[in-house]
Amino acid sequence: MQHRLYIVGAGPGDPDLLTIKAHRVLMQADVVLYDALLGKQILEMLPESCEKVYVGKTYKDQQDQIKRMCRINALMKKGVEEGKRVVRLKTGDPLIFGRGIEEVRFLRNEKIDYELVPGITAGIAAANHCQIPITERSINRTLLFCTGTTLNGDMKQFDAVSTMIQIGTPVMIYMGLNNLGSIIDKLIDNGVKADTSICAISKVSYPDEKMLFGNLSNFMSKLEQNPLEMPTILVIGENIMPMLEEADELLNQCKCTDCK
Ligand SMILES: C[S@@+](CC[C@H](N)C(=O)[O-])C[C@H]1O[C@@H](n2cnc3c(N)ncnc32)[C@H](O)[C@@H]1O
């Protein structure tokens, strides 16, 4: 008998942010094929009997990406054909910059029964943790997800992104930390105001999560003084002041003795 294969979004890292469905299928899994950014704590809670197979890639590792995808596909197929309960475990949400759709295509071609289980994507988790108003009535009416890294290194998407930022759209940039200097230059060249806010949140939902806030003109020097670890998500926009930061600033400005 063959079991349904699940492509599961694990959320940003904290096991408490797994969905109940993700938790249920993980607890029943015979094989879990997992990615690089996957939280250690999530892997530790898998049943001992479950075979855990690393199939991830790290920033700029030398793996051939076509071979890597072929290996993942072959492992999914083999597991299902052997009658195992297979989970393909991905960080965040499988369809947000997670190549989940390529795996779906393979499974469809192979006529393998599968289901996608959504997860909390890093950007949304970051916005909640830092209380960033990514949408707000009459202020932030659209929201954009964007990648800061492309296969051929071009940054064409930032032409459209620049316009969206100028009309007041917050943009969440995944995989953008290493290219941030070029991204900022491109936005400013395209007319985005240098005082537009930027917030970087590293290791969202991990105990050592960190946030850095600034604007396009001062952010790179702030980052030099306060380096952030990967993975990091970036949020850029005119109206994205994190409520936490706002609270800190208000406290700093306050002259009352209670706040001193
Ligand atoms: C290959 S993409 C995967 C995105 C994932 N599917 C999601 O929905 O969050 C990897 C990028 O996601 C972001 N990311 C993933 N997990 C993160 C975390 N815990 N904290 C901050 N950024 C994270 C970073 O920008 C990282 O470079």
Side-chain angles (χ1 to χ4, degrees):
M1 180 197 164
Q2 292 193 352
H3 295 283
R4 173 172 290 184
L5 181 146
Y6 288 91
I7 301 181
V8 174
D14 178 354
D16 281 353
L17 294 179
L18 282 168
T19 63
I20 291 172
K21 187 160 189 173
H23 185 265
R24 179 168 55 76
V25 297
L26 283 171
M27 288 306 115
Q28 293 167 350
D30 299 310
V31 186
V32 170
L33 309 173
Y34 68 95
D35 279 343
L37 293 177
L38 218 97
K40 237 194 196 165
Q41 276 182 293
I42 293 178
L43 293 175
E44 281 168 6
M45 51 179 247
L46 297 176
E48 239 172 64
S49 59
C50 169
E51 189 188 342
K52 298 143 200 124
V53 185
Y54 173 69
V55 294
K57 79 174 174 77
T58 52
Y59 177 69
K60 281 197 172 166
D61 75 17
Q62 298 303 308
Q63 277 187 79
D64 177 324
Q65 290 313 315
I66 295 174
K67 278 193 191 150
R68 177 177 159 257
M69 291 308 285
C70 288
R71 176 172 172 248
I72 293 171
N73 291 342
L75 285 168
M76 291 196 293
K77 187 173 175 195
K78 180 169 170 275
V80 169
E81 284 175 353
E82 286 172 354
K84 292 179 178 161
R85 291 182 168 84
V86 181
V87 173
R88 172 71 180 103
L89 189 58
K90 304 174 89 71
T91 55
D93 182 272
L95 297 187
I96 303 282
F97 304 120
R99 304 190 71 170
I101 211 65
E102 294 168 52
E103 290 164 16
V104 164
R105 261 186 215 115
F106 170 80
L107 296 168
R108 290 179 73 86
N109 279 340
E110 294 292 325
K111 309 225 173 339
I112 292 172
D113 180 32
Y114 68 90
E115 186 175 330
L116 283 156
V117 180
I120 299 177
T121 188
I124 298 298
N128 279 273
H129 280 196
C130 300
Q131 301 173 32
I132 300 173
I134 44 175
T135 72
E136 189 169 2
R137 190 191 285 220
S138 303
I139 302 173
N140 288 340
R141 300 169 185 210
T142 45
L143 174 65
L144 207 59
F145 291 89
C146 163
T147 175
T149 305
T150 53
L151 202 53
N152 62 5
D154 78 33
M155 304 229 286
K156 279 190 206 141
Q157 73 274 29
F158 285 102
D159 292 338
V161 167
S162 302
T163 308
M164 294 302 282
I165 293 174
Q166 285 170 298
I167 60 163
T169 302
V171 54
M172 293 188 161
I173 305 176
Y174 290 69
M175 295 171 281
L177 188 64
N178 286 298
N179 292 336
L180 186 56
S182 320
I183 293 171
I184 289 177
D185 290 346
K186 177 103 178 152
L187 295 177
I188 290 178
D189 282 353
N190 284 343
V192 178
K193 284 188 279 176
D195 65 357
T196 303
S197 300
I198 169 165
C199 187
I201 309 101
S202 108
K203 302 180 96 176
V204 175
S205 86
Y206 286 82
D208 50 349
E209 175 180 313
K210 256 181 155 182
M211 182 192 80
L212 192 61
F213 183 77
N215 62 42
L216 294 183
S217 68
N218 66 18
F219 199 76
M220 290 313 286
S221 57
K222 279 197 170 193
L223 192 58
E224 212 172 303
Q225 286 156 27
N226 307 277
L228 293 177
E229 275 182 60
M230 291 210 277
T232 290
I233 188 100
L234 307 162
V235 188
I236 300 181
E238 289 183 353
N239 306 299
I240 55 123
M241 165 76 91
M243 303 295 277
L244 293 178
E245 178 80 8
E246 203 173 27
D248 285 346
E249 281 204 353
L250 290 176
L251 262 185
N252 290 339
Q253 285 163 13
C254 185
K255 302 281 181 274
C256 86
T257 46
D258 287 344
C259 289
K260 290 278 154 196

